[in-house]
Amino acid sequence: MYVSWGARTRASATVLGAALLIAGCSSSGDGDDEKDGAGAGITQQPKASDPFWVNPAGNAAEQVVAYEKSGKKAEAEQIRKIAEQPTGEWIGVEDPEQEARGFTEAAEKADRTALLVLYNIPHRDCGQYSQGGAADGNAYRTWIDGVAKGIGDRSATVILEPDAVLHLVDGCTGEEFHEERYALLTEAVGKLKTLKNTKVYIDAGNAGWGNPDQIFEPLQRAGIDQADGFSVNVSNFYSTQESIAYGKNLSSKVGNKPFVIDTSRNGNGPYTGGNQDERWCNPPGRALGETPTTKTADPLVDAYLWVKRPGESDGECKGGPKAGEWWADYALKLAKASG
């Protein structure tokens, strides 16, 4: 049975402003010892194992500062587990060129790679918590063009359209939209791969959904041959080992393409209690997973990534705020459960 993935986050104007602000003062060179941004003393991770950029002014970093100012030092140290790891920057709708430029420039100043998530496909999320997306195909093409201009020649890793292929397979997205979506995804991959230093991973489901036999042909139609690989477990909770098994099975059907795994909240695996339909939406008792790195357990796995930003809500369920909004209490529970 298909298990929905929950809602996605998007880059906010606040985070973008912070990224632009620090673009001129982030560390250069290796930068592992330099502290900057938001007053939280956030550092970049060692480049050799984790080449991705840590945003020192993200929601988690701001929460660290807030806890420290209120004397909650223990809570601040827990949230620091999130704040000091690179997480995906979800590009918004209004000015994709400026956002992509801001994040990639800040990453370049720190001698790191920006991790960007593109989530704006028309008819997104089938009317669920993260419904929306571009108004039509031409609007989406214009948006992708803006993202590409913003990235330019700077180093970026792009996770392309969580859910988009999967929702073509599971019947969630209407048949009348299928051909356009395949075309838009293929064009997006092609456009992004014209960039000098950009890697592209098309989203491809998770270990709790269906069978790779059901998705490999749609993934091919979406342009996997042009892409660097695919992503699994985005915003979900399946264990790293389950995700590796699923990814390797799928990889064998699409030319042995490598893949990346979202390990942001999979430390305790998936939630098995309560309502099956909402096990993906702010489930209790979850934990942070393996920290982002390119040193993984399998040569086909290019990286463990935190694509979903831990601590941001999946949607208005279980007392959570709207999808993508910061939820300090949930973030604190994730951090504490990770040990």
Side-chain angles (χ1 to χ4, degrees):
M1 181 176 181
Y2 167 64
V3 180
S4 179
W5 278 1
R8 316 298 181 200
T9 57
R10 288 171 289 181
S12 66
T14 301
V15 175
L16 171 62
L20 294 172
L21 178 64
I22 65 171
C25 62
S26 295
S27 58
S28 59
D30 192 58
D32 298 329
D33 297 324
E34 183 162 333
K35 297 182 178 182
D36 54 12
I42 302 303
T43 63
Q44 300 297 324
Q45 294 297 318
K47 187 176 180 181
S49 62
D50 186 0
F52 301 101
W53 175 63
V54 177
N55 185 345
N59 286 333
E62 292 178 356
Q63 188 66 62
V64 170
V65 173
Y67 277 143
E68 288 179 342
K69 285 183 176 179
S70 61
K72 297 180 178 180
K73 293 184 178 180
E75 289 86 349
E77 288 308 301
Q78 289 293 338
I79 298 298
R80 190 177 292 277
K81 295 176 183 178
I82 298 172
E84 293 194 335
Q85 298 300 329
T87 57
E89 301 293 352
W90 296 62
I91 301 298
V93 175
E94 297 302 323
D95 196 342
E97 181 177 347
Q98 183 183 13
E99 289 196 8
R101 179 176 293 111
F103 292 129
T104 55
E105 284 184 349
E108 184 178 59
K109 292 283 186 180
D111 191 28
R112 297 297 191 280
T113 294
L115 176 61
L116 307 179
V117 188
L118 305 190
Y119 186 57
N120 193 37
I121 201 79
H123 317 291
R124 187 182 69 198
D125 206 34
C126 311
Q128 299 180 84
Y129 285 122
S130 287
Q131 63 183 291
D136 54 35
N138 287 333
Y140 185 75
R141 292 181 179 97
T142 299
W143 185 77
I144 288 289
D145 286 345
V147 172
K149 289 178 182 177
I151 294 172
D153 287 343
R154 290 175 290 276
S155 181
T157 291
V158 173
I159 307 301
L160 183 62
E161 295 298 340
D163 288 341
V165 175
L166 189 60
H167 281 170
L168 293 173
V169 181
D170 69 1
C172 181
T173 299
E175 183 72 30
E176 66 271 26
F177 304 125
H178 285 203
E179 290 302 320
E180 179 186 58
R181 179 167 294 186
Y182 283 125
L184 293 176
L185 290 170
T186 301
E187 291 169 24
V189 174
K191 182 71 175 184
L192 293 165
K193 286 308 298 175
T194 66
L195 304 177
K196 184 179 179 181
N197 295 302
T198 295
K199 290 186 175 182
V200 181
Y201 296 87
I202 306 175
D203 194 60
N206 61 70
W209 176 85
N211 187 302
D213 285 341
Q214 297 172 274
I215 198 171
F216 80 89
E217 288 183 351
L219 199 59
Q220 290 170 333
R221 293 182 65 187
I224 188 64
D225 287 348
Q226 301 177 74
D228 293 274
F230 57 92
S231 60
V232 302
N233 204 49
V234 170
S235 294
N236 219 299
F237 304 88
Y238 290 94
S239 73
T240 301
Q241 289 307 308
E242 289 174 303
S243 298
I244 289 174
Y246 172 80
K248 290 179 73 172
N249 191 349
L250 181 54
S251 175
S252 70
K253 302 175 187 301
V254 292
N256 294 315
K257 285 283 187 175
F259 56 98
V260 296
I261 301 171
D262 185 354
T263 60
S264 57
R265 304 182 300 176
N266 74 347
N268 283 342
Y271 180 62
T272 57
N275 186 335
Q276 171 112 6
D277 292 337
E278 286 200 345
R279 288 176 182 174
W280 52 266
C281 190
N282 303 322
R286 302 310 91 201
L288 302 174
E290 286 96 340
T291 54
T293 183
T294 53
K295 295 185 181 301
T296 68
D298 192 281
L300 273 176
V301 183
D302 278 353
Y304 301 145
L305 302 174
W306 285 10
V307 182
K308 168 73 176 183
R309 295 201 290 253
E312 293 187 357
S313 178
D314 291 315
E316 294 176 277
C317 60
K318 303 181 182 68
K322 291 181 179 180
E325 290 187 8
W326 176 253
W327 188 7
D329 289 345
Y330 195 79
L332 198 57
K333 290 174 182 176
L334 287 171
K336 287 181 176 179
S338 66

